[in-house]
């Protein structure tokens, strides 16, 4: 015979569970558009992959998926005459003048720049994408993300499913990109201190593979932005370098560093080199893709080299046994390797704060 | 009989380990020089004496990264070194005179310069495996006197004990390069 108190508790519990179930059933889908500023100008895709094949499908899928999410877009057909008239090239960055022109002529304050960082065709297609949203009025990056996928990754162990074909994979990765873009970035430090401002000097490419350096720049930028860092838009620094008549890659001299510091007052400068990149097919059997890079962090105010980091990541690093957990996608391996840099910057920042205290 | 067998096994294993361990680095350290005096250094891009294109630059970057990770010296940004070195572009770093080393020291405001060369960076076929081999020669030169205060040579190969024993994958070329740099630098920085 249950006591009156326990039966009352049981009734309350049942009512609460019923309410939870009803709420779950009737719940509206999450409105993701609240996180993506709209209306948005979508710049023509930057293709670093060396293949023309994915360009069309990624471009049209991006538009479809974003329109599905209720995001107002200004794209290709409407944008091209404007870009042509103002001689704005879609090379993955915009200068301050170009940003202002786009803002004034379109009336939109946000610009989305996307790039195909890596692509492998059939039989084992792979793709890696990056995207960032700029606020045109002050050219700050408000959102950035990178995603990647491989058809082989879609094969679940002990299941009969076949690898995804190219189109299915591209759709999966594009949807993931837009999904991740809607996620808020890491919250600002609980103490209220703004995250450090970072300038990235384009990475050198020693891999012998096309435009890997630029792909690394895109991926690192989104990794840092997602970690809450205030990264300066590459378009702004590119403009400064063009004014000086040279483009530093992988290293910087003191004079340029001083100029950068005077103009943008960054807390840290990050640069480095993509040392080696092997796809799962090129690497040793069973090891998956491999990516290796070196990076350095400088203090622009003093010109001092603060830290250096070497990172090498293989697809098999996260493998538990018999292929379980192995990362097949080259783009994902690159992202995993680059994840060490926010950690390095975090430790530098905490050292700086503690020494200031 | 049992003792003889275990003794033979031990000797065999020891020989196998020694055989796979490779050579130790060859090192010179100036007996009178006080390294505590060196606070700021610059790494002059290493010469590439191999047919592996870009090996010099790659090993230089790894060397700088390891040097920074050791937190022993303040290191000059390679971009600044490249700018200053433009005036000596026609020279091999091995041909730098004492006067030029002193001049470089003044311009870069460093107490010592790391110089070096990559003498080997290749993949050698061994049975069914490709084994990476890297040889680095590095030295530290005092910019006040132009005298070499440390010098080391090391050859590293990708054949590991377990890989040889179990027939598993060999070390990548990058991993061998890094290990070579670490071991070379390890003779200066403990």
């Amino acid at each position: 015979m249950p006591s009156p108190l326990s039966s009352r508790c049981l009734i309350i519990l049942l009512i609460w569970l019923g309410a939870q179930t009803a709420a779950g059933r009737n719940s509206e889908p999450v409105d993701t558009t609240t996180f993506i500023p709209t209306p948005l100008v979508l710049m023509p895709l930057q293709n670093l992959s060396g293949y023309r094949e994915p360009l069309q499908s990624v471009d049209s899928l991006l538009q479809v998926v974003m329109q599905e999410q209720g995001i107002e877009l200004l794209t290709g057909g409407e944008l091209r005459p404007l870009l042509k008239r103002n001689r704005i090239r879609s090379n993955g960055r915009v200068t301050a003048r170009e940003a202002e022109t786009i803002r004034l002529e379109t009336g939109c304050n946000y610009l989305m720049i996307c790039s195909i960082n890596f692509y492998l065709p059939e039989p084992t297609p792979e793709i890696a994408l990056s995207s960032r949203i700029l606020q045109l009025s002050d050219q700050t990056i408000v959102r950035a993300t990178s995603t990647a996928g491989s058809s082989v990754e879609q094969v679940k162990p002990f299941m009969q499913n076949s690898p995804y074909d190219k189109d299915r994979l591209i759709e999966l990765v594009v949807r993931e990109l837009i999904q991740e873009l809607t996620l808020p970035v890491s919250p600002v430090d609980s103490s209220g201190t703004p995250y450090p401002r970072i300038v990235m000097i384009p990475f050198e490419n020693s891999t012998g593979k096309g435009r890997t350096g630029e792909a690394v720049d895109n991926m690192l930028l989104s990794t840092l932005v997602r970690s809450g860092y205030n990264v300066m838009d590459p378009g702004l620094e590119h403009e400064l370098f063009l004014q000086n008549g040279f483009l530093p890659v992988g290293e910087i001299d003191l004079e340029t560093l001083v100029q950068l510091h005077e103009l943008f007052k960054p807390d840290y400068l990050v640069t480095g080199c993509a040392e080696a990149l092997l796809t799962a097919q090129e690497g040793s059997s069973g090891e998956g893709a491999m990516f290796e890079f070196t990076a350095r962090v400088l203090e622009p105010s003093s010109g001092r080299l603060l830290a250096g980091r070497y990172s090498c990541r293989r697809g098999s690093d996260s493998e538990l046994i018999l292929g379980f957990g192995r990362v097949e996608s080259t783009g994902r391996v690159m992202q995993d390797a680059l994840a060490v840099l926010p950690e390095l910057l975090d430790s530098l920042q905490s050292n700086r704060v503690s020494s200031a205290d | 009989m049992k003792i003889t067998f275990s003794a033979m096994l031990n000797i065999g294993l020891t020989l196998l380990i020694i055989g796979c361990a490779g050579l130790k680095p060859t090192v010179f350290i100036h007996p009178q020089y006080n390294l505590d005096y060196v606070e700021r250094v610059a790494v002059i891009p290493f010469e590439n004496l191999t047919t592996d294109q870009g090996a010099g630059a790659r090993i230089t970057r790894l060397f700088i990264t390891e040097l920074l990770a050791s937190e022993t010296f303040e290191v000059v940004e390679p971009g600044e070194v490249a700018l200053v070195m433009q005036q000596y572009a026609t020279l091999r770093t091995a041909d730098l005179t004492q006067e030029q080393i002193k001049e470089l020291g003044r311009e870069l405001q460093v107490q010592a310069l790391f110089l070096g060369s990559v003498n080997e960076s290749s993949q050698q076929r061994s049975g069914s495996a490709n084994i990476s081999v890297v040889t680095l020669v590095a030295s530290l030169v005092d910019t006040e006197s132009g005298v070499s205060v440390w010098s080391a040579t090391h050859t590293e190969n990708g054949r590991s004990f377990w890989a040889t024993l179990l027939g598993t994958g060999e070390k990548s070329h990058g991993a061998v390069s890094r290990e070579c740099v670490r071991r070379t630098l390890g003779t200066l920085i403990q």
Side-chain angles (χ1 to χ4, degrees), chain A residues 38-113:
Chain A
T38 182
L40 198 64
V41 176
L42 180 63
M43 282 293 271
L45 268 173
Q46 184 195 21
N47 187 3
L48 306 174
S49 71
Y51 291 91
R52 287 185 65 83
E53 203 177 59
L55 202 59
Q56 190 66 45
S57 38
V58 173
D59 196 31
S60 52
L61 263 166
L62 267 174
Q63 294 180 32
V64 169
V65 175
M66 289 177 80
Q67 276 157 359
E68 270 176 20
Q69 303 269 343
I71 299 160
E72 254 185 80
L73 277 181
L74 185 74
T75 55
E78 302 150 285
L79 194 63
R80 281 217 167 79
L82 185 156
L83 298 179
K84 203 172 173 186
R85 197 169 54 245
N86 294 291
R87 293 182 181 174
I88 299 172
R89 293 175 63 200
S90 53
N91 53 7
R93 51 184 172 254
V94 285
T95 62
R97 182 194 63 79
E98 291 168 345
E100 188 60 6
T101 308
I102 294 172
R103 190 176 72 87
L104 291 174
E105 292 204 20
T106 61
C108 299
N109 193 24
Y110 295 98
L111 177 82
M112 184 163 158
I113 298 173

Side-chain angles (χ1 to χ4, degrees), chain A residues 206 252 254 273 275 296 310, chain B residues 58 61 77 79-80 174 178:
Chain A
S206 181
I252 191 165
L254 262 180
C273 178
E275 302 286 352
R296 300 186 305 282
Y310 164 91
Chain B
R58 191 177 64 243
R61 284 192 297 270
E77 160 62 19
E80 188 57 20
R178 188 183 177 212

Side-chain angles (χ1 to χ4, degrees), chain B residues 30-47:
Chain B
H30 197 292
Q32 268 105 49
Y33 193 79
N34 181 8
L35 275 168
D36 293 341
Y37 155 77
V38 182
E39 283 180 1
R40 193 173 142 94
V41 295
V43 181
I44 306 298
F46 293 165
E47 274 188 87

